[in-house]
């Protein structure tokens, strides 16, 4: 219902990148983005709806600041502090390693890279830095 029936001329014009085709792409990307956002919202609602009663039964501070996860012990303990700290450490480590590599690679490609090597490295680096789905939008700006 979002897309109207196209004539043969409109279809051929769409294949060469006309304005109509770009509008259809934006609509498609918007629908996909909206579906992704709704999926994340539904996951959050499900987790909170099922998790809040459990956290209330265990206790907020015991759950978030407890340092032992032993659900089969008697009495069971459900502390997620080590998991939270582990996630923070892994994220910090990835940033410490990834940001300098990314910035130094960009500087090397932009300022110091020989042309022959640039032609080989550029196609390999592009998918890492941004997806090819956003490439038409970036080039139009």
């Amino acid at each position: 219902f979002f897309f109207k029936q196209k004539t043969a001329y409109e279809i051929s014009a769409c294949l060469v990148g006309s304005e109509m085709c770009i509008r259809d792409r934006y609509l498609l990307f918007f629908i996909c983005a909206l579906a992704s956002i709704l999926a994340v919202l539904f996951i959050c609602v499900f987790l909170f709806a099922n998790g809040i009663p459990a956290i209330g039964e265990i206790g907020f501070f015991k759950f978030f600041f407890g340092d032992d996860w032993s659900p089969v012990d008697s009495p069971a303990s459900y502390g997620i502090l080590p998991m939270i700290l582990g996630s923070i450490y892994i994220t910090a480590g990835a940033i410490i390693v990834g940001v300098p590599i990314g910035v130094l690679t960009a500087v090397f490609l932009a300022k110091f890279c020989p042309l022959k090597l640039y032609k080989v490295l550029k196609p390999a680096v592009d998918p890492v830095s941004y997806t090819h789905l956003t490439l038409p939008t970036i080039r139009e700006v």
Side-chain angles (χ1 to χ4, degrees), residues 31-51:
I31 291 170
C32 291
L34 192 61
S36 299
I37 291 168
L38 287 174
V40 170
L41 285 176
F42 285 137
I43 290 170
C44 290
V45 167
F46 175 79
L47 288 175
F48 281 115
N50 291 318

mmCIF file of all heavy atoms in Angstrom, residues 31-51:
data_model
loop_
_atom_site.group_PDB
_atom_site.id
_atom_site.type_symbol
_atom_site.label_atom_id
_atom_site.label_comp_id
_atom_site.label_asym_id
_atom_site.label_seq_id
_atom_site.Cartn_x
_atom_site.Cartn_y
_atom_site.Cartn_z
ATOM 1 N N ILE A 31 11.080 2.136 7.002
ATOM 2 C CA ILE A 31 10.288 0.996 7.494
ATOM 3 C C ILE A 31 11.193 -0.013 8.197
ATOM 4 O O ILE A 31 10.848 -0.525 9.270
ATOM 5 C CB ILE A 31 9.499 0.353 6.335
ATOM 6 C CG1 ILE A 31 8.406 1.311 5.854
ATOM 7 C CG2 ILE A 31 8.897 -0.979 6.757
ATOM 8 C CD1 ILE A 31 7.736 0.885 4.570
ATOM 9 N N CYS A 32 12.363 -0.286 7.627
ATOM 10 C CA CYS A 32 13.304 -1.221 8.261
ATOM 11 C C CYS A 32 13.807 -0.682 9.603
ATOM 12 O O CYS A 32 13.904 -1.432 10.581
ATOM 13 C CB CYS A 32 14.475 -1.501 7.330
ATOM 14 S SG CYS A 32 14.038 -2.469 5.883
ATOM 15 N N ALA A 33 14.118 0.605 9.648
ATOM 16 C CA ALA A 33 14.575 1.211 10.903
ATOM 17 C C ALA A 33 13.473 1.169 11.950
ATOM 18 O O ALA A 33 13.728 0.860 13.122
ATOM 19 C CB ALA A 33 15.027 2.642 10.660
ATOM 20 N N LEU A 34 12.253 1.461 11.534
ATOM 21 C CA LEU A 34 11.122 1.416 12.458
ATOM 22 C C LEU A 34 10.902 0.003 12.988
ATOM 23 O O LEU A 34 10.657 -0.182 14.186
ATOM 24 C CB LEU A 34 9.863 1.938 11.762
ATOM 25 C CG LEU A 34 8.666 2.225 12.631
ATOM 26 C CD1 LEU A 34 8.985 3.304 13.658
ATOM 27 C CD2 LEU A 34 7.493 2.667 11.767
ATOM 28 N N ALA A 35 11.033 -0.996 12.122
ATOM 29 C CA ALA A 35 10.887 -2.387 12.560
ATOM 30 C C ALA A 35 11.985 -2.754 13.560
ATOM 31 O O ALA A 35 11.725 -3.448 14.548
ATOM 32 C CB ALA A 35 10.922 -3.325 11.354
ATOM 33 N N SER A 36 13.205 -2.289 13.336
ATOM 34 C CA SER A 36 14.305 -2.571 14.263
ATOM 35 C C SER A 36 14.060 -1.924 15.617
ATOM 36 O O SER A 36 14.274 -2.549 16.665
ATOM 37 C CB SER A 36 15.626 -2.057 13.692
ATOM 38 O OG SER A 36 15.916 -2.686 12.487
ATOM 39 N N ILE A 37 13.602 -0.676 15.610
ATOM 40 C CA ILE A 37 13.323 0.019 16.864
ATOM 41 C C ILE A 37 12.203 -0.672 17.627
ATOM 42 O O ILE A 37 12.292 -0.870 18.846
ATOM 43 C CB ILE A 37 12.988 1.498 16.585
ATOM 44 C CG1 ILE A 37 14.238 2.224 16.097
ATOM 45 C CG2 ILE A 37 12.419 2.188 17.817
ATOM 46 C CD1 ILE A 37 13.969 3.607 15.527
ATOM 47 N N LEU A 38 11.157 -1.069 16.914
ATOM 48 C CA LEU A 38 10.054 -1.767 17.576
ATOM 49 C C LEU A 38 10.508 -3.104 18.154
ATOM 50 O O LEU A 38 10.077 -3.485 19.249
ATOM 51 C CB LEU A 38 8.894 -1.965 16.598
ATOM 52 C CG LEU A 38 8.104 -0.704 16.254
ATOM 53 C CD1 LEU A 38 7.070 -1.002 15.169
ATOM 54 C CD2 LEU A 38 7.432 -0.144 17.487
ATOM 55 N N ALA A 39 11.369 -3.824 17.431
ATOM 56 C CA ALA A 39 11.873 -5.096 17.948
ATOM 57 C C ALA A 39 12.654 -4.883 19.246
ATOM 58 O O ALA A 39 12.468 -5.632 20.217
ATOM 59 C CB ALA A 39 12.753 -5.772 16.900
ATOM 60 N N VAL A 40 13.504 -3.875 19.285
ATOM 61 C CA VAL A 40 14.266 -3.584 20.505
ATOM 62 C C VAL A 40 13.330 -3.184 21.638
ATOM 63 O O VAL A 40 13.503 -3.610 22.785
ATOM 64 C CB VAL A 40 15.332 -2.501 20.235
ATOM 65 C CG1 VAL A 40 15.956 -2.018 21.523
ATOM 66 C CG2 VAL A 40 16.393 -3.030 19.296
ATOM 67 N N LEU A 41 12.323 -2.373 21.345
ATOM 68 C CA LEU A 41 11.362 -1.981 22.379
ATOM 69 C C LEU A 41 10.608 -3.176 22.932
ATOM 70 O O LEU A 41 10.419 -3.288 24.149
ATOM 71 C CB LEU A 41 10.380 -0.945 21.827
ATOM 72 C CG LEU A 41 10.934 0.462 21.649
ATOM 73 C CD1 LEU A 41 9.884 1.363 21.004
ATOM 74 C CD2 LEU A 41 11.376 1.043 22.971
ATOM 75 N N PHE A 42 10.182 -4.084 22.051
ATOM 76 C CA PHE A 42 9.476 -5.278 22.521
ATOM 77 C C PHE A 42 10.377 -6.163 23.373
ATOM 78 O O PHE A 42 9.935 -6.739 24.367
ATOM 79 C CB PHE A 42 8.900 -6.074 21.352
ATOM 80 C CG PHE A 42 7.679 -5.449 20.739
ATOM 81 C CD1 PHE A 42 7.535 -5.397 19.371
ATOM 82 C CD2 PHE A 42 6.676 -4.904 21.530
ATOM 83 C CE1 PHE A 42 6.413 -4.814 18.791
ATOM 84 C CE2 PHE A 42 5.555 -4.321 20.965
ATOM 85 C CZ PHE A 42 5.418 -4.284 19.596
ATOM 86 N N ILE A 43 11.649 -6.278 23.004
ATOM 87 C CA ILE A 43 12.595 -7.055 23.814
ATOM 88 C C ILE A 43 12.748 -6.419 25.193
ATOM 89 O O ILE A 43 12.741 -7.110 26.214
ATOM 90 C CB ILE A 43 13.951 -7.170 23.091
ATOM 91 C CG1 ILE A 43 13.817 -8.078 21.869
ATOM 92 C CG2 ILE A 43 15.032 -7.685 24.030
ATOM 93 C CD1 ILE A 43 15.021 -8.072 20.957
ATOM 94 N N CYS A 44 12.882 -5.090 25.240
ATOM 95 C CA CYS A 44 13.016 -4.391 26.526
ATOM 96 C C CYS A 44 11.779 -4.579 27.389
ATOM 97 O O CYS A 44 11.885 -4.842 28.595
ATOM 98 C CB CYS A 44 13.292 -2.909 26.304
ATOM 99 S SG CYS A 44 14.930 -2.571 25.645
ATOM 100 N N VAL A 45 10.605 -4.449 26.785
ATOM 101 C CA VAL A 45 9.358 -4.637 27.540
ATOM 102 C C VAL A 45 9.297 -6.055 28.095
ATOM 103 O O VAL A 45 8.947 -6.264 29.266
ATOM 104 C CB VAL A 45 8.135 -4.328 26.650
ATOM 105 C CG1 VAL A 45 6.847 -4.823 27.289
ATOM 106 C CG2 VAL A 45 8.046 -2.843 26.387
ATOM 107 N N PHE A 46 9.646 -7.043 27.282
ATOM 108 C CA PHE A 46 9.626 -8.436 27.741
ATOM 109 C C PHE A 46 10.598 -8.636 28.898
ATOM 110 O O PHE A 46 10.247 -9.259 29.913
ATOM 111 C CB PHE A 46 9.979 -9.369 26.583
ATOM 112 C CG PHE A 46 10.097 -10.798 26.978
ATOM 113 C CD1 PHE A 46 8.961 -11.575 27.158
ATOM 114 C CD2 PHE A 46 11.339 -11.369 27.185
ATOM 115 C CE1 PHE A 46 9.077 -12.903 27.537
ATOM 116 C CE2 PHE A 46 11.461 -12.684 27.557
ATOM 117 C CZ PHE A 46 10.323 -13.466 27.733
ATOM 118 N N LEU A 47 11.820 -8.106 28.765
ATOM 119 C CA LEU A 47 12.812 -8.292 29.826
ATOM 120 C C LEU A 47 12.388 -7.608 31.123
ATOM 121 O O LEU A 47 12.516 -8.183 32.213
ATOM 122 C CB LEU A 47 14.174 -7.760 29.373
ATOM 123 C CG LEU A 47 14.891 -8.588 28.320
ATOM 124 C CD1 LEU A 47 16.159 -7.882 27.867
ATOM 125 C CD2 LEU A 47 15.212 -9.969 28.845
ATOM 126 N N PHE A 48 11.897 -6.389 31.028
ATOM 127 C CA PHE A 48 11.468 -5.689 32.235
ATOM 128 C C PHE A 48 10.224 -6.329 32.851
ATOM 129 O O PHE A 48 10.123 -6.445 34.072
ATOM 130 C CB PHE A 48 11.213 -4.204 31.945
ATOM 131 C CG PHE A 48 12.472 -3.404 31.882
ATOM 132 C CD1 PHE A 48 12.871 -2.816 30.699
ATOM 133 C CD2 PHE A 48 13.277 -3.247 32.999
ATOM 134 C CE1 PHE A 48 14.038 -2.084 30.629
ATOM 135 C CE2 PHE A 48 14.438 -2.518 32.948
ATOM 136 C CZ PHE A 48 14.827 -1.934 31.755
ATOM 137 N N ALA A 49 9.291 -6.755 32.035
ATOM 138 C CA ALA A 49 8.073 -7.364 32.569
ATOM 139 C C ALA A 49 8.381 -8.654 33.312
ATOM 140 O O ALA A 49 7.743 -8.959 34.323
ATOM 141 C CB ALA A 49 7.078 -7.627 31.438
ATOM 142 N N ASN A 50 9.351 -9.407 32.842
ATOM 143 C CA ASN A 50 9.701 -10.652 33.508
ATOM 144 C C ASN A 50 10.798 -10.474 34.552
ATOM 145 O O ASN A 50 10.931 -11.304 35.449
ATOM 146 C CB ASN A 50 10.149 -11.693 32.477
ATOM 147 C CG ASN A 50 9.009 -12.153 31.613
ATOM 148 O OD1 ASN A 50 7.906 -12.381 32.101
ATOM 149 N ND2 ASN A 50 9.249 -12.264 30.325
ATOM 150 N N GLY A 51 11.585 -9.421 34.434
ATOM 151 C CA GLY A 51 12.706 -9.248 35.353
ATOM 152 C C GLY A 51 12.400 -8.464 36.601
ATOM 153 O O GLY A 51 12.964 -8.731 37.672
#
